[in-house]
Amino acid sequence: MARPRTVRAPTSASLPNNLRIPSTSPSLSKTLGKLSRQSLLDLALTWLDDQNSASFVPFLKGDERGSRDDDDDEALPYPAAETVEEVRQIYEDLQERKGGKREVLERILEGDWRHGLTLRQLAMVDLRYMDDHPSSLRWTALELSRIDPRRKESASKNGSEDWSANLPRIQAASFVKALQQEVASLVKAHYHLARSSTLPLTFLRIFVVDSPYQPPQQSPEIFADSARIIYVAFPDSCPFIYTSVAASTGAKPAAPPSTSIATDSRSLQRLVRDAIPKALSRPHERYTLKATALAAKNLPTLLALRGPGRSTAANGSFSIFADAALEGSPLDPRPADTVSAEDHILGGQRRPLGTEDKENGDPENSASQKVCKRPSSRRDTDTVPLTPDSKKRRLAVESRFGTAGSSLNPAPLDRLDVRFLDALDSGLEDEEEQPSSTHPVVSLSFTGSDVIGGIRQLAELGVVDPHRMPSWLTGEEAVSMATVKSGQRVKMS
């Protein structure tokens, strides 16, 4: 009698949290190996906490999942403990004494979790690595905007739009369930929500298996493939979200023949981006995601430039007031409470000629009137003579950059991509005959630890003219991608 054929049907269920990855998987050891010794110990103690021990049960003596005899178990390098409290005490002892990371790593994979780690544990490992290395991923800022033509008309008339009216109320469990329903017809995924321990952010980690069907017996390496992971960060009380797709490290495992979509980073990111506003939407209350032309590796940079504390109108020259570098306000009618730009450059305040020199009785300090300390926004505290030209140039730099590119600004951009759309002069007199195209004629990329800071230093040295610099080069528009035509930045759809 012929064996009946197995019928595989799609299922909307997500991958379970307790799906285990064998501890012998090389990719699992590599993922855990990225963490420091202290981070591994902190994670192990978190798994063994009273509130989590039921979800992350270690391998204990007499466990039904083990088939070894007691004599064989005693011969192992890490014999199984009898209770969770005993395992917890082992890691507390490891935390109190010095040692290597390899010792803790082998204890986890070959001892207490020899039966494997779950998908939820693996997600916690990745998020702990992000907390330890906040610049490990490149994030893109997107604006969450409500689709309402009437609100758009009123906002355009008033010239502003209320952010609080655009923010939907997000309940974590309901949002994840709605997001799962949006992507369940295309892929199977595992979702993990966690709160950042250092930033006002909530992270959502999404691991995707590129098939809506119940997956067959697959290689365990696929569950540690970083190219299948998408991260979404929700900052507190602002209409922006940050998305990132982890870059794959190493060879990708072979995909099963039933693959329905490609698992390249662009496809996964597009899939999640399209599903997020739909999951947040409700009847008669629809949302969409709009690009903000800002991408950075530093999450504090995104929080400073696309976060709850400010908007793009508080950058550039006005950043000296937004960052509290100066007292007062440019709109304050009382000049006594406002520090001028010249006073700020000379050190923040003026003093009568020779006042402190006479009080201290030190005639040598009279020469300090000609040598001024660099302002607090500078990166160093060396003293340099201020010539009339350098003083004038520094005033111009302060008026254009504000605190952007200085030590007072906590938002350094590591990359700035510029595309120029101006066509080359073809000698045609009629402008209508000029070829029009959205393809850039010239593309420039500035990279470094602080791009705006480097451009600021060039302006201070007189290499570039700060008066003629466009606003997107001084940090005023707070963008990392600029498309320029006729000297002005244009917004590309």
Side-chain angles (χ1 to χ4, degrees):
M1 183 177 180
R3 184 178 180 181
R5 298 180 58 182
T6 302
V7 179
R8 295 178 59 221
T11 172
S12 59
S14 61
L15 294 174
N17 283 329
N18 58 0
L19 179 61
R20 291 191 179 275
I21 306 169
S23 60
T24 55
S25 303
S27 58
L28 190 60
S29 176
K30 184 177 180 180
T31 301
L32 288 173
K34 296 188 300 183
L35 298 181
S36 63
R37 182 179 187 271
Q38 185 60 44
S39 296
L40 287 173
L41 289 173
D42 291 342
L43 270 180
L45 290 174
T46 301
W47 297 338
L48 296 170
D49 188 77
D50 292 337
Q51 299 179 352
N52 301 324
S53 59
S55 301
F56 313 120
V57 181
F59 188 90
L60 301 176
K61 185 175 295 184
D63 197 323
E64 295 179 358
R65 286 167 291 191
S67 59
R68 299 178 182 270
D69 296 333
D70 292 342
D71 296 338
D72 296 336
D73 187 70
E74 293 293 337
L76 295 175
Y78 302 102
E82 295 184 356
T83 61
V84 176
E85 288 75 14
E86 183 179 345
V87 179
R88 186 187 301 120
Q89 185 62 42
I90 292 174
Y91 286 94
E92 290 177 353
D93 295 340
L94 289 174
Q95 196 171 26
E96 292 178 357
R97 64 178 178 83
K98 296 182 180 180
K101 179 174 67 175
R102 175 59 58 182
E103 176 187 14
V104 182
L105 182 61
E106 291 179 351
R107 176 88 204 186
I108 292 175
L109 295 180
E110 300 180 12
D112 301 313
W113 283 277
R114 69 188 70 175
H115 52 286
L117 296 181
T118 63
L119 284 181
R120 186 181 174 189
Q121 286 177 290
L122 184 60
M124 295 174 67
V125 171
D126 288 341
L127 291 181
R128 179 56 190 254
Y129 180 79
M130 286 175 51
D131 279 341
D132 295 343
H133 304 82
S135 300
S136 58
L137 298 175
R138 174 166 291 276
W139 297 85
T140 302
L142 301 171
E143 183 178 4
L144 188 64
S145 178
R146 184 173 178 178
I147 304 176
D148 191 343
R150 292 174 297 179
R151 285 189 50 80
K152 290 182 179 179
E153 293 178 1
S154 62
S156 60
K157 291 180 181 179
N158 298 331
S160 62
E161 190 171 356
D162 185 12
W163 278 11
S164 60
N166 279 342
L167 292 177
R169 295 183 179 180
I170 301 177
Q171 208 281 335
S174 300
F175 168 73
V176 172
K177 184 178 180 180
L179 183 62
Q180 174 189 342
Q181 293 176 353
E182 292 293 333
V183 302
S185 60
L186 298 175
V187 297
K188 292 188 70 65
H190 174 260
Y191 306 91
H192 179 73
L193 272 168
R195 183 70 178 175
S196 174
S197 59
T198 57
L199 297 172
L201 293 169
T202 299
F203 289 111
L204 173 61
R205 178 188 181 270
I206 307 174
F207 169 78
V208 177
V209 177
D210 50 340
S211 173
Y213 296 88
Q214 188 68 27
Q217 191 67 28
Q218 297 178 350
S219 171
E221 302 296 321
I222 196 175
F223 297 103
D225 184 9
S226 58
R228 298 174 179 266
I229 301 174
I230 306 104
Y231 295 97
V232 184
F234 297 90
D236 296 344
S237 304
C238 76
F240 298 99
I241 65 171
Y242 316 140
T243 63
S244 179
V245 176
S248 179
T249 56
K252 296 182 180 180
S258 60
T259 299
S260 59
I261 65 171
T263 55
D264 62 284
S265 60
R266 290 184 179 180
S267 299
L268 296 181
Q269 192 173 32
R270 190 182 307 112
L271 176 66
V272 174
R273 283 186 179 181
D274 293 342
I276 288 175
K278 296 177 182 178
L280 292 173
S281 298
R282 290 178 291 179
H284 308 292
E285 190 175 339
R286 301 296 178 180
Y287 294 89
T288 184
L289 291 178
K290 298 191 299 186
T292 63
L294 178 63
K297 282 188 173 182
N298 197 349
L299 277 173
T301 297
L302 295 181
L303 284 171
L305 300 178
R306 297 290 189 276
R310 71 202 303 182
S311 66
T312 54
N315 297 296
S317 57
F318 275 83
S319 61
I320 59 177
F321 302 100
D323 294 334
L326 295 183
E327 296 180 356
S329 166
L331 304 179
D332 195 340
R334 299 166 297 180
D337 295 336
T338 304
V339 182
S340 65
E342 183 178 357
D343 290 343
H344 175 54
I345 288 180
L346 294 177
Q349 60 181 359
R350 284 188 172 183
R351 61 183 182 180
L353 184 61
T355 301
E356 295 185 3
D357 300 337
K358 293 180 180 180
E359 294 176 357
N360 298 332
D362 189 1
E364 296 182 358
N365 288 338
S366 61
S368 63
Q369 301 165 9
K370 297 181 181 180
V371 179
C372 303
K373 288 187 176 182
R374 295 175 185 251
S376 58
S377 61
R378 300 281 296 172
R379 298 181 183 275
D380 52 70
T381 58
D382 298 334
T383 57
V384 294
L386 283 178
T387 63
D389 292 339
S390 61
K391 178 181 175 181
K392 182 179 179 180
R393 186 167 56 247
R394 199 173 294 178
L395 279 169
V397 171
E398 291 284 336
S399 64
R400 292 302 313 278
F401 286 87
T403 61
S406 68
S407 58
L408 294 178
N409 194 310
L413 289 179
D414 60 287
R415 187 178 183 89
L416 176 59
D417 296 322
V418 186
R419 300 185 301 169
F420 295 94
L421 300 183
D422 296 316
L424 298 177
D425 187 7
S426 59
L428 299 177
E429 297 181 356
D430 191 357
E431 295 182 358
E432 296 182 355
E433 297 181 6
Q434 295 281 356
S436 59
S437 174
T438 57
H439 296 288
V441 178
V442 179
S443 298
L444 295 177
S445 294
F446 302 90
T447 59
S449 59
D450 189 353
V451 172
I452 302 299
I455 298 175
R456 180 189 180 116
Q457 290 183 5
L458 293 177
E460 291 174 346
L461 295 174
V463 179
V464 294
D465 186 1
H467 292 289
R468 303 184 60 182
M469 296 188 66
S471 57
W472 43 268
L473 274 180
T474 63
E476 181 175 342
E477 299 190 22
V479 296
S480 62
M481 295 169 285
T483 303
V484 182
K485 186 174 184 179
S486 301
Q488 301 293 327
R489 190 176 74 90
V490 297
K491 295 182 179 180
M492 304 297 294
S493 58

